[in-house]
Amino acid sequence: MHRAELARWLDVSRTTVTKTVNELLDDGVLVVLDDDGNTDRLPSPPAPAASPPGRLKRKLGLNPLRTLLATAVFRIDRFEITLGAADGRLLATRTEPLSADAGGEERLEQGRAAFRGLLREHSLPVDAVRGFYVAVNAQIDDDTGEVPSAEASTIWFGSNVKRTVADWAPNARVHVDNTARLSALAEYLSLPSPRPRSLVYVELTWGIGMGLVKDGMSYGGGHGGAGEIGHMSLDHRGELCGCGNRGCLQGFVGMHAVLERGSEVLGREVTDVAEIGDLATGDDPRCRALVREIGEDLGAGLVTVCNLLDPNLVVLGGELTRLGPGLATAAERVIRRRALPLATRSLDLRIADLSEDMHSDSLAALWMLRSREYALPG
């Protein structure tokens, strides 16, 4: 903010703001920003209290040399590290590829190296990192940082994400989450005002995850395990799932299932769901029927979600949205036919605007850190 904005926001005199700001500049808590919103001389010492002519009209920001926020978002084949100031400025970001076969420890070690490298590149001190938000593509206990079972994730099982990342930045409070919930928040924050009271995001990939944003806050449940709709049983006499249940939703609409169904329909091996989507869009009757069936199976699972949570908006994201618009159309048709009337009265269902956009996830993670008091020093 500018000094004048601070005075209006705090309802105090300009003189009081100027005096206090000068003290905070002298103490290094605040810095003067340039016209682009960056600090004038980061990472050199903060501006002196006596401002040269014209600097009074510059915006002020919190000094990242005193308080930094960091995020790490891990997907199946890539990850992103982001550094931000406590006032919301994005300072630096780095994205790197991952081997899809890499285990959790290998992924975390690659993330640690990228995090430390980003700090060195921008001459930022690791001791200034006070909040760290980590999202992984697995069910994870948000208290202990453990992945509870191999069924939750063969990649991450055996790794303690929270404890490991705490070693990266000893002064940081670490928050862990899964990527589906983080993507739900990213989708919510991308919407214009007024935003919906309740948004459900469904991540359609090898597994099926879900995030719920209610009144602007992401809901993770008692242990961070909310939203695992991939293991909702659609048919208790169906095929055995790795979780021990039968007929789970991801056995019908997870990536493995969709590729197998596509291979059966086309009579040859299919390795990319986009091929099914392209054929369906191109009026191949076999693929159009398959996409419709997959959408109807997805819709059958979402009927229960809508009856339980009554969302205003359901957003479909992830790799399987490459099946094309017929997926959402078929799913919505089933929901409107089978869900209770109140759950569908104002329901909107759409394909995600930010599907697989990891940078939007990182910005949402920074937003979460800034919204939590524990991220800032006392």
Side-chain angles (χ1 to χ4, degrees):
M1 289 184 174
H2 295 95
R3 290 167 173 81
E5 290 178 294
L6 278 171
R8 289 193 295 270
W9 185 270
L10 298 172
D11 195 24
V12 297
S13 69
R14 291 282 295 273
T15 301
T16 299
V17 166
T18 298
K19 178 177 182 297
T20 305
V21 162
N22 286 341
E23 291 173 355
L24 293 173
L25 286 170
D26 194 41
D27 191 45
V29 175
L30 294 181
V31 289
V32 178
L33 306 183
D34 63 23
D35 292 336
D36 295 326
N38 301 309
T39 51
D40 274 344
R41 295 186 295 173
L42 181 70
S44 57
S51 300
R55 291 173 68 91
L56 287 175
K57 295 182 179 180
R58 299 276 187 86
K59 287 186 177 182
L60 302 163
L62 292 171
N63 188 356
L65 298 175
R66 295 281 291 269
T67 301
L68 270 173
L69 304 177
T71 74
V73 179
F74 289 90
R75 293 284 182 176
I76 187 70
D77 59 355
R78 64 199 189 283
F79 72 94
E80 183 168 284
I81 304 291
T82 300
L83 302 176
D87 56 20
R89 283 174 294 134
L90 178 66
L91 300 176
T93 187
R94 177 178 291 179
T95 305
E96 292 188 7
L98 283 167
S99 168
D101 298 325
E105 294 301 323
E106 184 179 348
R107 290 164 180 265
L108 289 169
E109 177 55 30
Q110 193 172 339
R112 183 200 65 80
F115 166 63
R116 289 302 180 93
L118 200 58
L119 289 173
R120 287 193 301 271
E121 181 182 337
H122 294 274
S123 302
L124 294 168
V126 68
D127 290 345
V129 180
R130 302 304 182 105
F132 213 129
Y133 197 106
V134 190
V136 299
N137 53 322
Q139 186 184 57
I140 186 168
D141 188 316
D142 62 9
D143 183 33
T144 68
E146 297 173 320
V147 175
S149 66
E151 287 77 18
S153 172
T154 55
I155 288 176
W156 290 100
F157 181 57
S159 303
N160 190 304
V161 177
K162 192 171 189 176
R163 186 169 60 227
T164 300
V165 174
D167 291 337
W168 298 1
N171 292 337
R173 295 186 180 182
V174 180
H175 180 82
V176 294
D177 204 349
N178 73 29
T179 53
R181 277 201 299 275
L182 186 57
S183 293
L185 183 64
E187 288 288 340
Y188 177 84
L189 294 174
S190 74
L191 296 173
S193 296
R195 296 186 176 105
R197 289 180 57 193
S198 177
L199 176 148
V200 162
Y201 172 82
V202 183
E203 187 164 87
L204 302 163
T205 178
W206 298 100
I208 310 298
M210 189 191 81
L212 169 66
V213 179
K214 178 71 169 67
D215 293 326
M217 294 303 297
S218 176
Y219 177 74
H223 307 91
E228 292 295 327
I229 65 167
H231 296 289
M232 174 191 300
S233 180
L234 296 186
D235 179 5
H236 69 277
R237 294 189 179 90
E239 292 187 12
L240 185 65
C241 178
C243 72
N245 292 317
R246 290 187 176 275
C248 288
L249 179 63
Q250 74 179 34
F252 291 89
V253 299
M255 185 77 79
H256 283 298
V258 170
L259 292 176
E260 287 181 4
R261 293 171 74 170
S263 299
E264 291 175 4
V265 164
L266 294 176
R268 56 179 173 80
E269 185 180 13
V270 176
T271 60
D272 188 350
V273 296
E275 180 183 357
I276 302 172
D278 290 342
L279 289 171
T281 304
D283 287 335
D284 184 302
R286 299 166 300 172
C287 288
R288 290 189 67 177
L290 176 59
V291 170
R292 182 176 65 250
E293 290 170 8
I294 293 169
E296 289 172 350
D297 290 338
L298 174 61
L302 291 178
V303 167
T304 300
V305 170
C306 291
N307 284 342
L308 283 173
L309 300 179
D310 186 25
N312 303 108
L313 175 61
V314 174
V315 181
L316 305 181
E319 296 162 281
L320 290 181
T321 58
R322 291 183 292 169
L323 289 172
L327 179 76
T329 300
E332 184 173 8
R333 188 183 303 117
V334 171
I335 294 169
R336 295 197 180 280
R337 185 173 69 244
R338 293 177 51 186
L340 296 173
L342 187 59
T344 59
R345 178 174 295 174
S346 62
L347 179 68
D348 185 17
L349 187 146
R350 66 182 70 164
I351 299 294
D353 291 328
L354 307 174
S355 186
E356 302 180 69
D357 183 346
M358 195 159 50
H359 191 57
S360 295
D361 291 343
S362 296
L363 296 179
L366 285 175
W367 184 91
M368 280 290 285
L369 284 176
R370 292 180 60 230
S371 70
R372 294 174 180 266
E373 292 183 0
Y374 70 68
L376 303 178

